[in-house]
Amino acid sequence: MTKAMTLEQVAAAMVAPGKGILAADESTGTIKKRFDSIKTENTEDNRRDYREMLFRSTDAMKNHVSGVILFDETIRQKAKDGTPLTKLIEASGSLPGIKVDKGTKPLPFSKGETITEGLDGLADRIKEYAGLGAKFAKWRAVYDITGPGTPSYAAINANAHALARYAALCVEGGIVPIVEPELLMDGGHDIDACEMVTEWILKEVYQQLYYANVPLEKTILKPNMVIAGKKSPKQASREEVAERTVKVLKRCVPTAVPGIAFLSGGQSDEDATAHLHYMNALGPLPWKLSFSYGRALQAAALKAWGGKSENVAAGQRAFSHRAKMNGVATLGKWDEKQEKAA
Ligand code: 5MM
């Protein structure tokens, strides 16, 4: 029998050099949007086929994907040949993880802000997910800059408190928590606003993790990068995004945290990779900097697949290329030449 990994070992494996996390935990509503873009029906079988294609991408999974965040349906699903999808992931040397939050709900008395729910019964759900093979979990808090006074301290505090309670329950239940505070980049705010608000959010998250007695050594942070909103007329260079993001992280994230795995948040595939590369090129840094991308890892594969079984190999090639580019970015060794060599 193989010896169980400690949570520190799981966390270290999640951000191992050259590797990062595939966020494949789209809820049924979110994956519908992705499937709509390729005119594919959102059925249980299609969701299974798509994810099976990704998890059977041998090169990507073996060499560049340290872990996969799954949705509740997927952690229980079997591949076409009857093998549980979690076993496919494990067989490639990658770790299965699970999204445990139950999504966002309106935060009362706020200007359209949200609070992430899912704490009720979480201890029992963690126990069940650990039994199904999950080695880590994810909880995403969402913040937005929509005008003066947003995000409010009420939203920043309530979401940080929930993240801390979730993280404590995960560690107690024997799985590594990915703590994901996401400041959206959908608006028109500039990079200064993103920098200021990201710093405020992260300060509050680490304050609440401290009050909740969460051992940071057993956690991974999944933040947004410091970047201008998509609708801002003034976009920063890739180097500036990298410098500003690292500056904020150094101010806020204790060195006890083993790794930081970014979300992509709607950046182009190549920007998400390049930003990660430039950050790592600024090293040495006190934590591993890696990726936990959803869209920026999957978009090309989804398009190449197009919902057709005859395109599985093309989808896998596209996924393997993106995984490899992000893998080299974790080492600060990415460049345009490799990018175009696909
Ligand atoms: C995979 O997307 C997740 C979406 O979950 P919902 O269906 O509950 O909205 C999301 O949490 C994701 O894990 C992160 O935001 C990272 O994804 P991106 O696309 O921002 O890299």
Side-chain angles (χ1 to χ4, degrees):
M1 213 176 94
T2 49
K3 222 173 129 223
M5 292 165 87
T6 65
L7 296 198
E8 285 87 345
Q9 286 169 333
V10 170
M14 287 163 73
V15 291
K19 291 188 175 187
I21 297 161
L22 165 64
D25 58 311
E26 297 86 357
S27 51
T28 312
T30 301
I31 197 78
K32 180 181 184 315
K33 286 188 215 151
R34 309 280 183 265
F35 281 6
D36 282 351
S37 73
I38 53 163
K39 299 193 171 43
T40 294
E41 211 190 327
N42 187 22
T43 63
E44 197 176 329
D45 280 357
N46 283 342
R47 293 193 290 274
R48 189 267 323 273
D49 290 349
Y50 172 62
R51 286 164 173 152
E52 183 174 345
M53 170 185 84
L54 298 177
F55 307 159
R56 285 195 192 272
S57 301
T58 322
D59 176 53
M61 293 297 295
K62 259 184 126 163
N63 301 314
H64 307 296
V65 177
S66 58
V68 184
I69 314 174
L70 303 168
F71 183 55
D72 181 79
E73 176 186 84
T74 326
I75 200 169
R76 305 170 193 281
Q77 238 168 1
K78 291 192 167 82
K80 248 190 186 143
D81 67 2
T83 314
L85 292 180
T86 48
K87 295 289 168 219
L88 284 189
I89 295 169
E90 284 167 0
S92 69
S94 187
L95 300 169
I98 181 77
K99 183 227 298 289
V100 298
D101 69 65
K102 293 208 161 174
T104 58
K105 289 279 163 10
L107 182 72
F109 305 114
S110 75
K111 296 176 184 165
E113 297 182 287
T114 62
I115 176 73
T116 300
E117 294 197 338
L119 288 170
D120 285 359
L122 182 56
D124 289 339
R125 289 195 292 124
I126 288 171
K127 210 187 265 172
E128 191 201 354
Y129 287 137
L132 289 168
K135 296 286 181 286
F136 64 91
K138 187 200 93 172
W139 178 292
R140 172 171 169 256
V142 185
Y143 316 83
D144 203 358
I145 301 175
T146 54
T150 63
S152 64
Y153 181 64
I156 289 176
N157 172 263
N159 276 292
H161 183 256
L163 277 167
R165 284 203 49 209
Y166 140 81
L169 285 166
C170 284
V171 174
E172 197 177 58
I175 62 178
V176 169
I178 295 183
V179 174
E180 181 180 2
E182 174 174 11
L183 175 60
L184 298 176
M185 57 173 281
D186 299 333
H189 56 271
D190 61 16
I191 193 167
D192 293 332
C194 181
E195 181 177 322
M196 196 188 78
V197 175
T198 301
E199 183 171 349
W200 190 17
I201 289 168
L202 290 177
K203 288 272 183 214
E204 185 70 19
V205 165
Y206 281 98
Q207 185 87 342
Q208 294 296 330
L209 288 167
Y210 170 72
Y211 290 140
N213 300 311
V214 175
L216 298 181
E217 295 78 4
K218 300 176 183 184
T219 68
I220 295 289
L221 175 69
K222 175 167 174 169
N224 54 279
M225 296 180 196
V226 173
I227 193 167
K230 265 195 237 162
K231 294 183 193 131
S232 168
K234 210 173 137 218
Q235 294 294 325
S237 67
R238 287 170 167 177
E239 289 85 347
E240 187 180 354
V241 169
E243 278 160 24
R244 291 216 198 197
T245 305
V246 168
K247 179 173 100 184
V248 168
L249 294 174
K250 280 185 173 168
R251 287 182 175 179
C252 304
V253 185
T255 56
V257 174
I260 298 172
F262 292 97
L263 58 92
S264 59
Q267 300 177 44
S268 72
D269 298 0
E270 201 179 308
D271 277 348
T273 304
H275 289 147
L276 181 61
H277 158 75
Y278 282 115
M279 282 189 258
N280 278 301
L282 294 171
L285 299 165
W287 350 254
K288 294 277 185 311
L289 291 191
S290 181
F291 57 92
S292 175
Y293 296 159
R295 285 162 286 179
L297 260 182
Q298 294 184 51
L302 184 76
K303 203 168 153 210
W305 175 60
K308 300 192 172 75
S309 54
E310 63 269 28
N311 293 337
V312 163
Q316 290 178 328
R317 268 197 306 278
F319 177 52
S320 293
H321 179 62
R322 269 308 0 114
K324 185 174 175 189
M325 290 303 95
N326 286 302
V328 294
T330 67
L331 308 171
K333 289 186 174 161
W334 171 87
D335 58 41
E336 306 260 357
K337 225 165 102 196
Q338 300 171 74
E339 185 64 56
K340 308 292 177 226

